[in-house]
Amino acid sequence: MTDAVAVTSRRREATRQKLLDAAAQVFAEVGLDAASVEAICERAGFTRGAFYSNFETKDELFLELAGRVARERVAAVRERVAELERAGAFANAPANAFEIVQQVLDVSADDRLGVLLMSEIRIHALRTPALAAAYLAQEDEMLHSVAYIIDDIGRAKTIGFRLPAVDAARLMLTVWEGASVRAVMAGLDYEEMCLRTNEELARVAQLIIEPPAH
């Protein structure tokens, strides 16, 4: 019985992931409003029944997709911090906060699709109270994930912060969001987006990282 439940659970998760992958493809082609449930199901090779057994609404699916994008970004940064820590990079942390942030964020930045997805989800959340509550809960999860990364960096004795980790994370996320949206509006390509976003984050880091004691 336990094995049967495990198999069913794996199949259900595989179905959810295929629907999310299909939704990302359809969204990239037509945007959120025009991405119908039917188009997503056709792309994934499933029926509407399969869709509604996994998601109550299209908004729920796209909120989950946005969350997956955000979690992947955070996981990449967290692994980068662990990699730098194992390599002893923080033992001789540079006085220049720009260089610190460039090392940490070298693996992650929003692409145009991710920025558009988050922006459209946010607009829908502003109009829909139920979606707004779910969006805020997801944003809070993201905030605490970033705060955890900042705590990880802070454990390197040569780096200190002027703000509590949660406050620093909130500030960094606000700047990250604004910089990525402006980069998309400016028509920058992925590499340029990475550079522009990381530069703006580095400027903020110079304000919140305590300079090394002399």
PDB file of all heavy atoms in Angstrom, residues 127-145:
ATOM      1  N   ARG A 127      -5.568  42.713  -8.128  1.00  0.00           N
ATOM      2  CA  ARG A 127      -7.005  42.727  -8.444  1.00  0.00           C
ATOM      3  C   ARG A 127      -7.782  41.606  -7.780  1.00  0.00           C
ATOM      4  O   ARG A 127      -9.005  41.615  -7.784  1.00  0.00           O
ATOM      5  CB  ARG A 127      -7.185  42.620  -9.970  1.00  0.00           C
ATOM      6  CG  ARG A 127      -6.616  43.804 -10.739  1.00  0.00           C
ATOM      7  CD  ARG A 127      -6.644  43.522 -12.226  1.00  0.00           C
ATOM      8  NE  ARG A 127      -6.152  44.663 -12.992  1.00  0.00           N
ATOM      9  CZ  ARG A 127      -5.650  44.577 -14.207  1.00  0.00           C
ATOM     10  NH1 ARG A 127      -5.560  43.384 -14.796  1.00  0.00           N
ATOM     11  NH2 ARG A 127      -5.231  45.655 -14.852  1.00  0.00           N
ATOM     12  N   THR A 128      -7.066  40.595  -7.259  1.00  0.00           N
ATOM     13  CA  THR A 128      -7.733  39.396  -6.737  1.00  0.00           C
ATOM     14  C   THR A 128      -7.280  39.118  -5.307  1.00  0.00           C
ATOM     15  O   THR A 128      -6.147  38.657  -5.093  1.00  0.00           O
ATOM     16  CB  THR A 128      -7.397  38.174  -7.624  1.00  0.00           C
ATOM     17  OG1 THR A 128      -7.594  38.518  -8.997  1.00  0.00           O
ATOM     18  CG2 THR A 128      -8.252  36.974  -7.248  1.00  0.00           C
ATOM     19  N   PRO A 129      -8.125  39.388  -4.303  1.00  0.00           N
ATOM     20  CA  PRO A 129      -7.725  39.226  -2.898  1.00  0.00           C
ATOM     21  C   PRO A 129      -7.173  37.841  -2.560  1.00  0.00           C
ATOM     22  O   PRO A 129      -6.169  37.736  -1.858  1.00  0.00           O
ATOM     23  CB  PRO A 129      -9.028  39.513  -2.135  1.00  0.00           C
ATOM     24  CG  PRO A 129      -9.777  40.445  -3.029  1.00  0.00           C
ATOM     25  CD  PRO A 129      -9.480  39.967  -4.426  1.00  0.00           C
ATOM     26  N   ALA A 130      -7.800  36.789  -3.067  1.00  0.00           N
ATOM     27  CA  ALA A 130      -7.334  35.430  -2.738  1.00  0.00           C
ATOM     28  C   ALA A 130      -5.936  35.196  -3.303  1.00  0.00           C
ATOM     29  O   ALA A 130      -5.063  34.618  -2.640  1.00  0.00           O
ATOM     30  CB  ALA A 130      -8.309  34.389  -3.284  1.00  0.00           C
ATOM     31  N   LEU A 131      -5.705  35.646  -4.533  1.00  0.00           N
ATOM     32  CA  LEU A 131      -4.388  35.505  -5.137  1.00  0.00           C
ATOM     33  C   LEU A 131      -3.376  36.390  -4.423  1.00  0.00           C
ATOM     34  O   LEU A 131      -2.216  36.010  -4.258  1.00  0.00           O
ATOM     35  CB  LEU A 131      -4.444  35.861  -6.623  1.00  0.00           C
ATOM     36  CG  LEU A 131      -3.135  35.743  -7.411  1.00  0.00           C
ATOM     37  CD1 LEU A 131      -2.593  34.317  -7.359  1.00  0.00           C
ATOM     38  CD2 LEU A 131      -3.337  36.178  -8.859  1.00  0.00           C
ATOM     39  N   ALA A 132      -3.820  37.559  -3.969  1.00  0.00           N
ATOM     40  CA  ALA A 132      -2.927  38.472  -3.246  1.00  0.00           C
ATOM     41  C   ALA A 132      -2.388  37.820  -1.984  1.00  0.00           C
ATOM     42  O   ALA A 132      -1.196  37.932  -1.669  1.00  0.00           O
ATOM     43  CB  ALA A 132      -3.660  39.765  -2.907  1.00  0.00           C
ATOM     44  N   ALA A 133      -3.257  37.122  -1.245  1.00  0.00           N
ATOM     45  CA  ALA A 133      -2.830  36.462  -0.012  1.00  0.00           C
ATOM     46  C   ALA A 133      -1.780  35.390  -0.312  1.00  0.00           C
ATOM     47  O   ALA A 133      -0.773  35.276   0.387  1.00  0.00           O
ATOM     48  CB  ALA A 133      -4.040  35.840   0.692  1.00  0.00           C
ATOM     49  N   ALA A 134      -2.006  34.627  -1.375  1.00  0.00           N
ATOM     50  CA  ALA A 134      -1.052  33.584  -1.747  1.00  0.00           C
ATOM     51  C   ALA A 134       0.258  34.202  -2.226  1.00  0.00           C
ATOM     52  O   ALA A 134       1.347  33.709  -1.911  1.00  0.00           O
ATOM     53  CB  ALA A 134      -1.648  32.699  -2.839  1.00  0.00           C
ATOM     54  N   TYR A 135       0.164  35.286  -2.974  1.00  0.00           N
ATOM     55  CA  TYR A 135       1.364  35.973  -3.476  1.00  0.00           C
ATOM     56  C   TYR A 135       2.196  36.508  -2.318  1.00  0.00           C
ATOM     57  O   TYR A 135       3.425  36.357  -2.295  1.00  0.00           O
ATOM     58  CB  TYR A 135       0.961  37.108  -4.410  1.00  0.00           C
ATOM     59  CG  TYR A 135       2.127  37.904  -4.940  1.00  0.00           C
ATOM     60  CD1 TYR A 135       2.786  37.511  -6.100  1.00  0.00           C
ATOM     61  CD2 TYR A 135       2.595  39.034  -4.275  1.00  0.00           C
ATOM     62  CE1 TYR A 135       3.874  38.233  -6.585  1.00  0.00           C
ATOM     63  CE2 TYR A 135       3.681  39.751  -4.749  1.00  0.00           C
ATOM     64  CZ  TYR A 135       4.313  39.352  -5.895  1.00  0.00           C
ATOM     65  OH  TYR A 135       5.392  40.063  -6.359  1.00  0.00           O
ATOM     66  N   LEU A 136       1.538  37.127  -1.346  1.00  0.00           N
ATOM     67  CA  LEU A 136       2.262  37.687  -0.202  1.00  0.00           C
ATOM     68  C   LEU A 136       2.926  36.586   0.628  1.00  0.00           C
ATOM     69  O   LEU A 136       4.033  36.765   1.139  1.00  0.00           O
ATOM     70  CB  LEU A 136       1.313  38.511   0.670  1.00  0.00           C
ATOM     71  CG  LEU A 136       0.845  39.836   0.053  1.00  0.00           C
ATOM     72  CD1 LEU A 136      -0.235  40.479   0.927  1.00  0.00           C
ATOM     73  CD2 LEU A 136       2.013  40.793  -0.141  1.00  0.00           C
ATOM     74  N   ALA A 137       2.241  35.444   0.752  1.00  0.00           N
ATOM     75  CA  ALA A 137       2.820  34.323   1.495  1.00  0.00           C
ATOM     76  C   ALA A 137       4.064  33.807   0.773  1.00  0.00           C
ATOM     77  O   ALA A 137       5.086  33.503   1.395  1.00  0.00           O
ATOM     78  CB  ALA A 137       1.790  33.203   1.642  1.00  0.00           C
ATOM     79  N   GLN A 138       3.995  33.731  -0.556  1.00  0.00           N
ATOM     80  CA  GLN A 138       5.141  33.285  -1.344  1.00  0.00           C
ATOM     81  C   GLN A 138       6.284  34.291  -1.256  1.00  0.00           C
ATOM     82  O   GLN A 138       7.454  33.922  -1.141  1.00  0.00           O
ATOM     83  CB  GLN A 138       4.713  33.095  -2.792  1.00  0.00           C
ATOM     84  CG  GLN A 138       5.756  32.410  -3.669  1.00  0.00           C
ATOM     85  CD  GLN A 138       5.255  32.238  -5.077  1.00  0.00           C
ATOM     86  OE1 GLN A 138       5.447  33.104  -5.925  1.00  0.00           O
ATOM     87  NE2 GLN A 138       4.596  31.129  -5.349  1.00  0.00           N
ATOM     88  N   GLU A 139       5.943  35.569  -1.285  1.00  0.00           N
ATOM     89  CA  GLU A 139       6.962  36.621  -1.175  1.00  0.00           C
ATOM     90  C   GLU A 139       7.651  36.557   0.185  1.00  0.00           C
ATOM     91  O   GLU A 139       8.861  36.757   0.290  1.00  0.00           O
ATOM     92  CB  GLU A 139       6.302  37.981  -1.372  1.00  0.00           C
ATOM     93  CG  GLU A 139       7.285  39.130  -1.526  1.00  0.00           C
ATOM     94  CD  GLU A 139       6.583  40.444  -1.795  1.00  0.00           C
ATOM     95  OE1 GLU A 139       5.852  40.920  -0.900  1.00  0.00           O
ATOM     96  OE2 GLU A 139       6.750  40.984  -2.903  1.00  0.00           O
ATOM     97  N   ASP A 140       6.873  36.258   1.228  1.00  0.00           N
ATOM     98  CA  ASP A 140       7.442  36.150   2.568  1.00  0.00           C
ATOM     99  C   ASP A 140       8.409  34.964   2.648  1.00  0.00           C
ATOM    100  O   ASP A 140       9.467  35.051   3.278  1.00  0.00           O
ATOM    101  CB  ASP A 140       6.314  35.984   3.594  1.00  0.00           C
ATOM    102  CG  ASP A 140       6.808  36.115   5.024  1.00  0.00           C
ATOM    103  OD1 ASP A 140       7.362  37.181   5.362  1.00  0.00           O
ATOM    104  OD2 ASP A 140       6.641  35.158   5.810  1.00  0.00           O
ATOM    105  N   GLU A 141       8.042  33.859   1.984  1.00  0.00           N
ATOM    106  CA  GLU A 141       8.934  32.689   1.936  1.00  0.00           C
ATOM    107  C   GLU A 141      10.245  33.049   1.252  1.00  0.00           C
ATOM    108  O   GLU A 141      11.325  32.667   1.693  1.00  0.00           O
ATOM    109  CB  GLU A 141       8.236  31.555   1.185  1.00  0.00           C
ATOM    110  CG  GLU A 141       9.083  30.300   1.018  1.00  0.00           C
ATOM    111  CD  GLU A 141       8.421  29.250   0.158  1.00  0.00           C
ATOM    112  OE1 GLU A 141       7.198  29.335  -0.062  1.00  0.00           O
ATOM    113  OE2 GLU A 141       9.127  28.339  -0.327  1.00  0.00           O
ATOM    114  N   MET A 142      10.147  33.789   0.150  1.00  0.00           N
ATOM    115  CA  MET A 142      11.336  34.230  -0.577  1.00  0.00           C
ATOM    116  C   MET A 142      12.198  35.134   0.294  1.00  0.00           C
ATOM    117  O   MET A 142      13.424  35.006   0.334  1.00  0.00           O
ATOM    118  CB  MET A 142      10.891  34.987  -1.831  1.00  0.00           C
ATOM    119  CG  MET A 142      12.027  35.569  -2.651  1.00  0.00           C
ATOM    120  SD  MET A 142      12.927  34.308  -3.573  1.00  0.00           S
ATOM    121  CE  MET A 142      13.790  35.352  -4.760  1.00  0.00           C
ATOM    122  N   LEU A 143      11.560  36.048   1.017  1.00  0.00           N
ATOM    123  CA  LEU A 143      12.269  36.971   1.894  1.00  0.00           C
ATOM    124  C   LEU A 143      13.103  36.214   2.921  1.00  0.00           C
ATOM    125  O   LEU A 143      14.284  36.504   3.127  1.00  0.00           O
ATOM    126  CB  LEU A 143      11.269  37.887   2.599  1.00  0.00           C
ATOM    127  CG  LEU A 143      11.821  38.819   3.684  1.00  0.00           C
ATOM    128  CD1 LEU A 143      12.729  39.867   3.072  1.00  0.00           C
ATOM    129  CD2 LEU A 143      10.675  39.490   4.443  1.00  0.00           C
ATOM    130  N   HIS A 144      12.496  35.220   3.557  1.00  0.00           N
ATOM    131  CA  HIS A 144      13.210  34.485   4.598  1.00  0.00           C
ATOM    132  C   HIS A 144      14.289  33.569   4.008  1.00  0.00           C
ATOM    133  O   HIS A 144      15.292  33.307   4.663  1.00  0.00           O
ATOM    134  CB  HIS A 144      12.217  33.695   5.457  1.00  0.00           C
ATOM    135  CG  HIS A 144      11.464  34.565   6.417  1.00  0.00           C
ATOM    136  ND1 HIS A 144      10.295  35.216   6.077  1.00  0.00           N
ATOM    137  CD2 HIS A 144      11.735  34.939   7.690  1.00  0.00           C
ATOM    138  CE1 HIS A 144       9.868  35.928   7.101  1.00  0.00           C
ATOM    139  NE2 HIS A 144      10.721  35.783   8.089  1.00  0.00           N
ATOM    140  N   SER A 145      14.094  33.115   2.774  1.00  0.00           N
ATOM    141  CA  SER A 145      15.139  32.332   2.111  1.00  0.00           C
ATOM    142  C   SER A 145      16.375  33.189   1.855  1.00  0.00           C
ATOM    143  O   SER A 145      17.513  32.750   2.068  1.00  0.00           O
ATOM    144  CB  SER A 145      14.620  31.766   0.785  1.00  0.00           C
ATOM    145  OG  SER A 145      13.592  30.827   1.007  1.00  0.00           O
TER     146      SER A 145
END
